[in-house]
C-alpha cells in the first residue's frame, strides 16, 4: 500500500508540472488526478472519522463517568432511604410498644376501677340491706312501743279504776 502511495505521489507531481506548464492533460493524467483527489478525500474522511470517533469516545467516557457518578449518587440515596426507613421502622416499633404498654396500663387501671365499682356496688347493696333491716327493726320497735303505750294506757285506766275502786272501798269502809 505504501509503494502504491509513493507511485501515486510521483505521478501526481508529473501531472502538477504539466498543469503548471499549461500542457494539455491526457486521460491517464486525469485518472491520476482523480485518484489523488479521491485519496485526499478519503484521508480527510478518515481524519474526520478518527476525530469523530475520538469525540464519541470522549463523550462515551463522559457519559460513563456521569452514569457512574449518578449510580453512586443513586446508591448513596438508596442507602440513605434505607437508613431513614430503618430508623422510622424502629421509631414506629418503639411507638407501637409504647402504645401497647399504655393500653395495657390503662386496661389494668380500668379493670381496677371496674373491680372497685363492683366492690362499691356490693357495699352499697349490703348497706341497703342493712338499712332495710334497720327500718324493719325500727318499724317493729315502733309497733312494740305503740303496743306498750296502749298497754300502759290500759294499765293506767285500770290503775285509775283501781284507785277509784280503792277510794270507794275506803269510803264504804269509813262509813261503816
Amino acid at each position: 500500500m505504501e509503494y502504491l502511495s509513493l507511485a501515486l505521489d510521483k505521478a501526481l507531481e508529473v501531472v502538477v508540472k504539466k498543469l503548471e506548464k499549461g500542457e494539455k492533460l491526457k486521460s491517464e493524467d486525469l485518472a491520476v488526478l482523480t485518484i489523488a483527489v479521491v485519496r485526499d478525500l478519503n484521508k480527510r474522511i478518515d481524519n474526520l472519522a478518527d476525530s469523530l470517533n475520538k469525540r464519541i469516545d470522549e463523550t462515551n467516557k463522559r457519559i460513563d463517568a456521569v452514569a457512574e457518578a449518578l449510580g453512586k449518587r443513586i446508591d448513596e440515596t438508596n442507602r440513605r432511604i434505607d437508613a431513614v426507613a430503618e430508623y422510622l421502622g424502629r421509631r414506629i416499633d418503639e411507638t407501637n410498644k409504647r402504645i401497647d404498654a399504655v393500653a395495657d396500663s390503662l386496661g389494668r387501671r380500668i379493670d381496677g376501677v371496674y373491680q372497685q365499682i363492683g366492690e362499691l356496688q356490693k357495699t352499697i347493696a349490703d348497706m341497703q340491706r342493712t338499712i332495710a333491716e334497720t327500718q324493719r327493726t325500727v318499724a317493729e320497735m315502733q309497733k312494740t312501743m305503740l303496743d306498750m303505750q296502749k298497754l300502759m294506757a290500759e294499765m293506767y285506766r285500770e290503775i285509775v279504776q283501781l284507785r277509784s275502786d280503792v277510794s270507794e272501798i275506803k269510803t264504804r269502809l269509813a262509813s261503816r
Side-chain angles (χ1 to χ4, degrees):
M1 192 72 170
E2 200 174 304
Y3 292 118
L4 183 62
S5 182
L6 284 173
L8 184 58
D9 285 342
K10 292 218 182 232
L12 187 57
E13 282 179 25
V14 171
V15 171
V16 169
K17 284 182 185 176
K18 282 185 182 178
L19 279 173
E20 287 175 352
K21 290 181 187 175
E23 293 180 17
K24 197 170 184 184
L25 297 178
K26 298 180 192 174
S27 58
E28 296 86 19
D29 296 332
L30 288 175
V32 167
L33 190 58
T34 303
I35 291 171
V37 168
V38 168
R39 183 184 70 170
D40 285 346
L41 286 175
N42 282 339
K43 281 183 185 177
R44 287 180 63 197
I45 289 171
D46 289 345
N47 288 338
L48 183 59
D50 287 345
S51 173
L52 287 175
N53 281 333
K54 285 179 185 176
R55 289 183 67 190
I56 288 171
D57 289 343
E58 289 173 13
T59 303
N60 284 338
K61 286 178 187 175
R62 286 180 54 207
I63 289 171
D64 291 344
V66 168
E68 185 178 334
L70 187 57
K72 286 179 183 177
R73 288 185 68 188
I74 288 171
D75 290 343
E76 180 182 327
T77 302
N78 284 336
R79 280 192 295 277
R80 286 179 55 208
I81 288 171
D82 291 344
V84 167
E86 184 180 332
Y87 171 75
L88 290 176
R90 281 194 310 270
R91 296 270 320 263
I92 288 170
D93 290 344
E94 290 170 7
T95 302
N96 284 336
K97 286 177 187 174
R98 285 181 54 212
I99 289 170
D100 291 344
V102 167
D104 288 345
S105 173
L106 287 176
R108 285 191 299 274
R109 288 177 67 189
I110 289 170
D111 290 345
V113 168
Y114 280 142
Q115 184 177 0
Q116 287 177 351
I117 288 172
E119 290 171 7
L120 186 60
Q121 286 174 334
K122 183 180 175 187
T123 303
I124 289 171
D126 290 344
M127 289 176 78
Q128 286 174 334
R129 275 192 298 276
T130 304
I131 289 170
E133 289 173 13
T134 303
Q135 286 174 338
R136 276 192 297 273
T137 304
V138 167
E140 287 174 10
M141 287 174 70
Q142 285 175 340
K143 183 181 176 205
T144 303
M145 284 177 70
L146 280 173
D147 290 345
M148 283 177 65
Q149 282 177 348
K150 284 180 189 176
L151 242 156
M152 283 174 70
E154 216 175 286
M155 283 171 67
Y156 183 71
R157 269 185 259 125
E158 283 184 28
I159 288 175
V160 168
Q161 184 64 40
L162 276 174
R163 275 191 188 158
S164 170
D165 287 345
V166 168
S167 251
E168 193 177 310
I169 290 177
K170 274 186 186 180
T171 315
R172 273 196 220 164
L173 281 174
S175 54
R176 258 202 216 177

